Amino acid sequence: MSVKRHRERQAEATRDLLVTIARERFVEQGYAATAIDDIVQRAGLAKGALYHHFSGKDALFKAVYDVVLTETAEAALAAALAEPDPWAAVRAGLSAFLDACLQPAFRRVVIIDSVTVLAADAWEGGIEGVELPMLRTVLSVLMDGGTLPGVALDPLAHVALGGLYGSALYIARAADPHAARAESDTVLDLVLRGVRAVADEQRGQPA
């Protein structure tokens, strides 16, 4: 292994360690209560090592946000792809995304703290990089074979994203997140049944 490659691997390992430690602290304490000094101390590194990889706490938070969001998107895609029926695939993918709202990392980092820490970047750059592509893939099964006649994929994905994040905020801020998650499932099923009934009617099939 070349010296350059060895240094690159060391740098990647250091960055991954910082993200892992930061994730733990952000989830446990929240962004505001987490200090850079605490993160580097727990990582056993000098502060300069952190600033070599990240411009500051906001940039480190964004790296953690990206990791957590990517994990959630991958889980949603896996759930959708496991279902052969298009409607069941959409239901499974959207449900898996909402399930993440019960996970501490997703709830704290993506739903609660990102709104104030990342502001427009979390909603614009972030969704285009991870969430919208995930939704396009999950929902694309309804585009195949004319399942949803007259509906374009992009507006469908954006409307679905708004609904998902509204549900996510409701679950994350609820006094009883598990009860809120169950209530969201009831609404999700109602919406999907309604959309499917309209689509079947337009295609001349019995509801």
Side-chain angles (χ1 to χ4, degrees):
M1 181 185 298
S2 67
V3 173
K4 181 179 179 180
R5 181 56 183 158
H6 178 66
R7 289 176 178 172
E8 289 174 349
R9 290 176 65 89
Q10 284 185 318
E12 290 173 2
T14 298
R15 186 184 188 281
D16 289 345
L17 176 61
L18 287 166
V19 170
T20 298
I21 298 298
R23 175 175 178 164
E24 294 173 355
R25 303 309 286 161
F26 289 145
V27 173
E28 291 172 3
Q29 302 184 142
Y31 175 85
T34 299
I36 288 290
D37 288 341
D38 180 36
I39 293 171
V40 294
Q41 181 180 2
R42 288 174 179 273
L45 299 169
K47 191 180 293 186
L50 186 147
Y51 287 110
H52 175 75
H53 293 280
F54 304 100
S55 60
K57 191 166 77 164
D58 284 8
L60 180 55
F61 180 87
K62 178 60 166 59
V64 173
Y65 170 91
D66 287 341
V67 169
V68 175
L69 189 56
T70 297
E71 290 173 354
T72 303
E74 289 175 349
L77 282 174
L81 294 174
E83 296 289 343
D85 176 73
W87 290 101
V90 170
R91 170 68 169 75
L94 300 183
S95 184
F97 189 90
L98 293 179
D99 284 342
C101 300
L102 298 177
Q103 301 300 318
F106 188 83
R107 178 179 180 274
R108 168 61 73 176
V109 173
V110 177
I111 301 302
I112 297 177
D113 282 349
S114 72
V115 176
T116 54
V117 178
L118 301 180
D121 183 61
W123 295 94
E124 296 175 10
I127 64 172
E128 185 58 43
V130 178
E131 291 141 292
L132 279 176
M134 178 272 291
L135 279 171
R136 289 187 187 105
T137 300
V138 169
L139 296 170
S140 65
V141 296
L142 298 181
M143 303 295 104
D144 299 336
T147 303
L148 282 179
V151 177
L153 181 58
D154 262 7
L156 180 63
H158 278 81
V159 170
L161 182 63
L164 281 180
Y165 263 97
S167 299
L169 284 170
Y170 175 68
I171 295 168
R173 294 172 176 172
D176 186 344
H178 288 274
R181 173 67 187 88
E183 291 170 342
S184 297
D185 251 355
T186 299
V187 175
L188 175 60
D189 287 335
L190 179 65
V191 170
L192 287 176
R193 283 199 302 269
V195 172
R196 184 171 187 174
V198 172
D200 289 343
E201 182 180 354
Q202 289 178 338
R203 291 186 296 116
Q205 295 184 1

